[in-house]
Amino acid sequence: MTNTSLILETHNLEGGDGDIAAGLVRVLARLATQTRPLTSLTDVVVTHRGVAAAARASCDRLAGVPIRWLELSDTATYYEAKNRGFDVATGDIVVFADADCWPDLDWLDALLAPFRDPTVEVVAGRTTYRHDLLGTAASTIDFMYFSSNAGAGHTRNFYANNVAFRREVFATHRFGEHQMYRGHCVVLGFELHAAGIPVVFAPAARTIHRFPDSARELLHLRLMRGRDTFEVSPQLVQSVLQDEPRVPRRLKVPRVPRLGPILPLAVLTGRLGFSVRALNHQDMPETRGIRRLATIGAITALTAIDALGAVAGGLRLLRGAPAKTLSYHGDGDRLAA
């Protein structure tokens, strides 16, 4: 296997009590038990905005490898942290993960396995929320994977918490600057798709994304996700129009207008249908009978909150990112499972 770097950012650990080190200990304990040991990697890079030297030494011991610590400025954003982490990593394959996600024990093995084929350039793993009703509903919304004309086993999008690139690909196609909260990776996926760079989908490379620590922050997250829909809808619609052979040529426009909140609301309406159809097709617990109806109700409620965020974004009432980082600290989700 070609030498590999793992980049772990800590942006989502800065909210709440801001105990970044405690959050890092939890995720490093899981990474240290991977079927592919961290000692097999070329380097492990952790980006941060303030971890004390003593805490860094403890994390080094827990990981079993000398971590490359990259301290960022106070204004560094989530995606800037990933770009900066890439700049100091040295591996020919670069893996991006988040410190608020808990990977399965074989996550790294499954994510890297497709690179045994030298033609593979990008691999996306499967990200979901926890396995209860709320997690199942939210996973169908936040972690959709769109089909690709590259064929079965490929996706046209990915999430920055669970993806790996060959170095030369990411060096050319980095996370861009956009007025969004967490939609930059979706845009990059569409850009790679348009450039003819296929993304292999490795659903066995699974990581569980945390929910925020409180119901209030979960509501804030949904509003920001809705605003992201306002920003990313033109790229999504354009990507679909360009690939769909049944769409008349006159509709294959080079740029889709935003149309205020109209386009994102239309996208959210379509997404609702896709989310419901995704039930029982995302490696999540099956939903039948009353549980299925309850899950559909949760999907509908979350979509309604997202719609409020999309309207607020369309009317320029909601900014692209929260002034304060949301918090993801609990060893177990503080929201009732």
Side-chain angles (χ1 to χ4, degrees), residues 97-245:
D98 284 8
D100 60 321
C101 292
W102 290 356
D104 283 357
L105 293 180
D106 58 351
W107 164 72
L108 198 50
D109 255 333
L111 189 65
L112 293 176
F115 286 108
R116 296 191 186 106
D117 180 346
T119 66
V120 170
E121 298 178 286
V122 186
V123 178
R126 182 187 291 282
T127 301
T128 69
Y129 290 114
R130 66 196 190 198
H131 287 191
D132 65 350
L133 189 151
L134 178 61
T136 300
S139 295
T140 69
I141 293 173
D142 287 348
F143 300 120
M144 287 181 151
Y145 292 87
F146 302 104
S147 61
S148 167
N149 57 10
H154 292 81
T155 177
R156 79 174 69 190
N157 71 299
F158 54 83
Y159 301 94
N161 51 55
N162 190 0
V163 65
F165 297 81
R166 290 202 187 271
R167 167 167 290 278
E168 59 271 19
V169 174
F170 193 81
T172 305
H173 303 273
R174 298 160 67 97
F175 294 115
E177 296 183 5
H178 306 284
Q179 295 301 310
M180 287 185 283
Y181 176 52
R182 288 291 189 267
H184 306 55
C185 48
V186 177
V187 174
L188 179 54
F190 293 154
E191 291 174 354
L192 294 175
H193 183 76
I197 300 174
V199 178
V200 172
F201 183 39
R206 181 179 177 127
T207 192
I208 306 298
H209 198 292
R210 311 301 311 289
F211 277 124
D213 290 340
S214 69
R216 181 176 180 178
E217 289 190 320
L218 178 60
L219 175 61
H220 194 175
L221 172 65
R222 296 272 33 110
L223 292 173
M224 297 310 302
R225 291 285 194 181
R227 193 198 181 282
D228 282 356
T229 303
F230 164 74
E231 295 291 347
V232 80
S233 287
Q235 292 95 326
L236 171 60
V237 173
Q238 182 179 347
S239 180
V240 172
L241 289 178
Q242 294 294 339
D243 281 353
E244 178 52 60

